[in-house]
Amino acid sequence: HRDLHSFPTRRSSDLYDDYEGIAKYNAVYGKLEKKASHGLAAMLSYTFAKSTDNEGGNIDNQSTIQNYNDPAADYGLSDVDIQNTFVASPIYQLPFGKERRFKSSSKVVNVLAGGWEASAIISTSSGFPFTVRANQDYSNTNSASPRPDRTCQGSGPKTITEWFNTSCFTTSALAQNLANGTPRFGNSGRNILRQPGVQNWDIGLTKKTAIRESLAAEFKVEFFNAFNHTNFGPPGTVIGSSTAGVISSQSGSPRNIQLAVKIDF
């Protein structure tokens, strides 16, 4: 018989939820709308917003607190904060063909040139904020989000190989404090810089053709990300790594073209 109590046991971690998070959201929203006239309709909207909190919660890929004994020190921009958002959605009926401004005496020309409509959804927004991190926990507290010291603002030069100024962040003093037996947290804050913004143009062309009284055809071509604009992902954020400040990914999809035909009868 083996005495199970003679073997060492490992204590399990205790996990619990708390409701100590603080979050605020403020925004100003404006919209301009043009009702359809002379073949043109459009809507423009703009939002200026600011979202702040002291932690990203327990959702995957959201930022964590550096010092759980002082969550107020991490109060700043939310992980999902988008400062500026602009959206335009125009629709324009081209003025060619039968019953349009530029009609032709030729039935064939009217059929080919008439019935066209162009539409677009144009959107642009600020990038999400991000946190600059240290390559190890110099506080000796098993911090889930160790930070470096911040010596200057750090924004710029905003290139693919150096999105932010990595020389504004250092871990030298932190490493020395740890070696001296006086470990501490870095003074760099949470979500202090922004990744690249997002821009997208979706454009559609539609042609409606009446074949006879009870039969009509509609041809549509849609260009998603019409200009094949690259929206870059976040830069590397770990100071002390070779990828700090380097953007090596992109978000969204390249240009996508979709064709469709619809027959009404």
Side-chain angles (χ1 to χ4, degrees), residues 27-59:
V28 176
Y29 171 77
K31 181 177 74 172
L32 291 175
E33 186 173 0
K34 183 187 182 304
K35 300 295 184 179
S37 63
H38 304 290
L40 176 65
M43 186 177 72
L44 309 176
S45 66
Y46 171 73
T47 303
F48 177 78
K50 186 175 184 180
S51 176
T52 55
D53 57 37
N54 65 347
E55 59 177 305
N58 60 358
I59 301 175

Side-chain angles (χ1 to χ4, degrees), residues 121-222:
I121 299 177
I122 305 160
S123 60
T124 179
S125 62
S126 305
F128 292 119
F130 65 87
T131 301
V132 179
R133 305 179 186 277
N135 58 345
Q136 69 179 74
D137 174 28
Y138 293 98
S139 68
N140 200 31
T141 63
N142 198 30
S143 171
S145 181
R147 318 271 171 75
D149 285 334
R150 187 186 188 187
T151 59
C152 51
Q153 186 177 12
S155 60
K158 296 186 177 181
T159 63
I160 301 301
T161 56
E162 189 180 6
W163 182 253
F164 65 94
N165 188 351
T166 56
S167 64
C168 286
F169 302 90
T170 178
T171 58
S172 298
L174 290 168
Q176 188 61 53
N177 284 129
L178 180 61
N180 292 341
T182 56
R184 63 178 177 85
F185 293 101
N187 64 24
S188 185
R190 170 175 165 263
N191 286 341
I192 56 174
L193 300 176
R194 286 190 184 275
Q195 66 187 58
V198 175
Q199 179 187 133
N200 189 70
W201 291 65
D202 294 336
I203 298 175
L205 289 174
T206 303
K207 177 173 173 51
K208 299 178 180 179
T209 303
I211 300 173
R212 58 174 182 262
E213 185 176 351
S214 60
L215 183 63
E218 181 178 304
F219 169 75
K220 179 179 290 187
V221 55
E222 295 174 306

Side-chain angles (χ1 to χ4, degrees), residues 61-74:
N61 300 321
Q62 292 201 334
S63 61
T64 52
I65 291 177
Q66 179 177 215
N67 179 7
Y68 276 100
N69 291 318
D70 187 16
D74 268 18

Side-chain angles (χ1 to χ4, degrees), residues 91-106:
I91 300 175
Y92 182 58
Q93 294 178 338
L94 276 64
F96 305 107
K98 185 180 179 182
E99 298 179 352
R100 298 290 172 87
R101 182 180 178 185
F102 301 106
K103 62 183 178 180
S104 174
S105 58
S106 170

